[in-house]
Amino acid sequence: MAQTTGTALSPEQTAVLDLIASTREHVFVTGRAGTGKSTLLDAFVAATDRTVVVCAPTGVAALNVGGQTIHSLFRLPIGLIADHDFDDPPELRRLLASVDTVVIDEVSMVSADLMDAIDRRLRQARARRHEPFGGVQVVLFGDPYQLAPVPGRDEGERAYYADHYRSMWFFDARVWAEADLRIVELQTIHRQQDADFRAMLTAVRHGTVTPEIGRALNEAGARPAPDDGVLTLATTNATVTRINMDALRHLPGDAKTARADVVGEFGPKGGYPADEELQLKVGAQVMFLRNDTGGDGHPRWVNGSLGTVERIGRTVFVDVDGESHEVVPATWEKYKYTYSAATKRVSKDVVAEFTQFPLRLAWAVTIHKSQGSTYDRAIVDLGPRAFAPGQTYVALSRIRSLDGLHLARPLRPSDIIVDDDVRRFMADAEPGIGRAIAPSD
C-alpha cells in the first residue's frame, strides 16, 4: 500500500518554504524521490497570501496539482515556439499583470524553448520587457534525474536546439543569463528508512553504481516473486496492457465496464486522469488514482494504494489491507485562471469535469505512471533495456525497502542512464537552502 508523508513539514521543508515565501527569488526545489517536493508545493500554495498561479507541462500533471497546463495558461502554441509572434489578448494581459508568483511543477519536462516563451509572454503581458519573467517570481518543482523533456521528432526542431541552446533542458534557457536561480535540493528521504538502500538508490540516481552495489541489488531482486498479484513496474504501455488484460481474462465471469462522464472541454484522451472505459471483475487487482477525500479525516486509501475488487454494482467494493471499502466515482476538475475586473482578483474556475471510479487495473503499471507512489513490494521489468534517463531510478525508488524488490531480470550497467547535462547543472546544487546561482556561470 502506498503511503503519504502527511501534512506536517520537516524543519528542512519549513526552511525552504520560508525562503520562497519571504523573498522574491526564483527558486528550483528538487530532491530525490520521497523527499516531499509535492508536500512543500501544496504547503506554499495553501499558506501564501500572494496571487499565485500553478501550472505544469502536461494535462495529468496539471490535474495533480490543481493547476492549468503551461500552454493553456500562457496561451502558447504547441511545439517549437522560437521567435513565434504572440497575440496580446486583453484578458490574458490583465491576468498575468495581477500575478505575483508562478509555480511550475514537473519542470524537468519543460524545454528551454518553452521556458524562454514563458519569460517572453510575462514580459510582454506585464509591459516590463527589461525584467526577467516581467518581474514575477518563478518557483519550480521537479527532479531532472527522474523526468526529462521529450525531444521532438522533427529534424528542424532538433537542429534549432543544437544551434540555439546548450541543451533542451529548462535550465539552459536564455532567461537564466539574466535571472539567478536558487537551487534547493531537499535531502531528507521520507519513503525509505533503510540507510543502505537509500545509498544504493542515490548511486543509481547519480550513475555511480559500483560493482558491489549492482551485485547487492541483483542478489536482492533475484528472489522469486510471490504469485499473489505483486505489482509489476514496466517500461511500456504495451507490456502493462498485456499483463493487465491477461490477468483479467483469467478471472471467472464477465467484465463490467464503467464509462467515464466527461463534461466540458477536458482535452485529449491521452490527458484523462483515469480510463475512459474501466473494465473490472471481482478479484481484479486495482490501484487507487487519488487520495480518499471522505471519512473522518483518516484516509482509507491514498493515491497508489493497491486493493482487490470484492463486489461490483452501482459502486465498487474494494478490499484494502484486509478492510472492505465502498468506492464511488470521483470527479477530477480542470481549472482555468481568470482575472475579475469586479473583484480585482485572480480566480480559479472549473471549466471541465471528468467523473470515473478512481481505480485502474494494477497487476502492472508503467514506471512513468508510478511517479509519486510508494509500494511495499514490486517486480521491476525493464524489458530488453531501460531506454530513458532516470527510468531505472524511478522504478527502484518506488519501493520502500530492499526486501520488496523483485527483478524480472538482473540489472545491467546499461540500465543506469544519467543525462550529462543534468550532471552538469546539478553539480551547482547545494544541500538544504543552497545558494543563488545562474546556470550560465
Side-chain angles (χ1 to χ4, degrees):
M1 173 178 169
Q3 299 290 324
T4 181
T5 58
T7 56
L9 297 184
S10 67
E12 176 185 51
Q13 290 170 319
T14 300
V16 178
L17 181 61
D18 289 344
L19 167 68
I20 298 169
S22 63
T23 73
R24 307 292 294 185
E25 292 189 55
H26 306 303
V27 181
F28 172 41
V29 181
T30 188
R32 290 166 287 178
T35 50
K37 297 182 291 295
S38 296
T39 300
L40 187 56
L41 187 159
D42 292 341
F44 169 65
V45 173
T48 186
D49 57 1
R50 295 177 181 172
T51 299
V52 176
V53 293
V54 182
C55 56
T58 69
V60 172
L63 287 172
N64 288 339
V65 291
Q68 205 172 334
T69 65
I70 292 170
H71 289 86
S72 170
L73 174 62
F74 292 101
R75 305 271 188 97
L76 297 173
I78 301 295
L80 185 69
I81 299 170
D83 296 324
H84 186 283
D85 288 334
F86 294 152
D87 58 1
D88 196 21
E91 68 275 12
L92 180 64
R93 199 164 58 241
R94 288 192 293 268
L95 168 65
L96 297 181
S98 304
V99 170
D100 299 313
T101 301
V102 171
V103 174
I104 304 177
D105 195 29
E106 301 291 14
V107 71
S108 62
M109 298 177 69
V110 174
S111 68
D113 173 66
L114 183 55
M115 182 62 68
D116 278 334
I118 294 169
D119 168 52
R120 189 152 56 98
R121 171 61 92 188
L122 284 166
R123 293 191 199 217
Q124 176 178 311
R126 295 167 64 86
R128 297 167 72 170
R129 295 178 182 271
H130 300 294
E131 291 185 64
F133 301 107
V136 168
Q137 180 191 35
V138 174
V139 181
L140 314 174
F141 288 84
D143 183 6
Y145 285 108
Q146 294 187 57
L147 288 172
V150 179
R153 296 181 179 179
D154 182 74
E155 289 187 12
E157 182 175 333
R158 293 196 296 271
Y160 180 87
Y161 274 103
D163 288 344
H164 290 82
Y165 290 104
R166 188 170 181 180
S167 80
M168 73 177 297
W169 288 90
F170 75 94
F171 47 74
D172 281 328
R174 289 188 292 266
V175 64
W176 301 121
E178 299 179 54
D180 284 348
L181 178 65
R182 178 170 288 207
I183 308 171
V184 178
E185 184 166 15
L186 299 173
Q187 298 293 304
T188 304
I189 298 175
H190 303 280
R191 180 173 294 150
Q192 290 90 14
Q193 301 304 313
D194 180 84
D196 289 340
F197 189 37
R198 288 202 302 263
M200 293 178 191
L201 293 176
T202 297
V204 173
R205 182 178 191 247
H206 292 280
T208 56
V209 175
T210 63
E212 291 76 19
I213 290 174
R215 189 160 48 247
L217 287 169
N218 280 330
E219 287 176 356
R223 291 185 305 271
D227 57 2
D228 59 352
V230 60
L231 177 70
T232 294
L233 302 176
T235 54
T236 66
N237 283 312
T239 300
V240 167
T241 299
R242 174 180 55 78
I243 291 172
N244 284 331
M245 297 314 295
D246 284 350
L248 189 68
R249 276 192 295 269
H250 279 88
L251 291 175
D254 296 328
K256 304 284 182 67
T257 301
R259 291 176 174 81
D261 182 25
V262 184
V263 178
E265 293 296 324
F266 206 88
K269 294 182 180 181
Y272 285 175
D275 293 338
E276 186 178 19
E277 294 189 352
L278 173 64
Q279 291 190 332
L280 294 177
K281 287 183 181 181
V282 171
Q285 180 163 293
V286 291
M287 177 187 296
F288 286 85
L289 300 178
R290 60 187 297 169
N291 296 341
D292 175 30
T293 56
D296 55 0
H298 300 285
R300 298 165 292 175
W301 60 78
V302 295
N303 184 14
S305 294
L306 297 176
T308 304
V309 175
E310 293 183 316
R311 182 153 45 100
I312 304 171
R314 296 182 66 86
T315 60
V316 179
F317 285 81
V318 178
D319 177 279
V320 180
D321 292 340
E323 292 189 32
S324 182
H325 301 297
E326 184 180 17
V327 183
V328 299
T331 298
W332 285 263
E333 296 174 328
K334 183 178 180 181
Y335 295 101
K336 180 180 180 180
Y337 291 99
T338 56
Y339 176 78
S340 169
T343 64
K344 309 296 184 185
R345 296 176 66 87
V346 173
S347 63
K348 189 169 74 169
D349 305 314
V350 176
V351 294
E353 294 182 340
F354 179 98
T355 302
Q356 176 62 287
F357 288 102
L359 301 170
R360 173 185 288 135
L361 292 178
W363 287 280
V365 66
T366 61
I367 293 168
H368 184 84
K369 287 182 178 176
S370 73
Q371 284 279 343
S373 295
T374 305
Y375 307 110
D376 289 333
R377 54 186 189 153
I379 299 169
V380 175
D381 182 356
L382 295 174
R385 63 182 179 89
F387 55 81
Q391 197 171 49
T392 300
Y393 171 66
V394 171
L396 297 179
S397 62
R398 300 308 98 196
I399 303 167
R400 190 181 305 283
S401 72
L402 202 56
D403 291 338
L405 172 64
H406 303 277
L407 295 171
R409 64 159 174 81
L411 295 175
R412 299 189 288 260
S414 59
D415 294 321
I416 313 299
I417 308 172
V418 182
D419 190 288
D420 287 337
D421 290 303
V422 173
R423 280 198 177 103
R424 162 178 57 84
F425 172 67
M426 291 301 294
D428 289 323
E430 292 281 332
I433 290 300
R435 61 190 176 88
I437 67 162
S440 58
D441 289 351

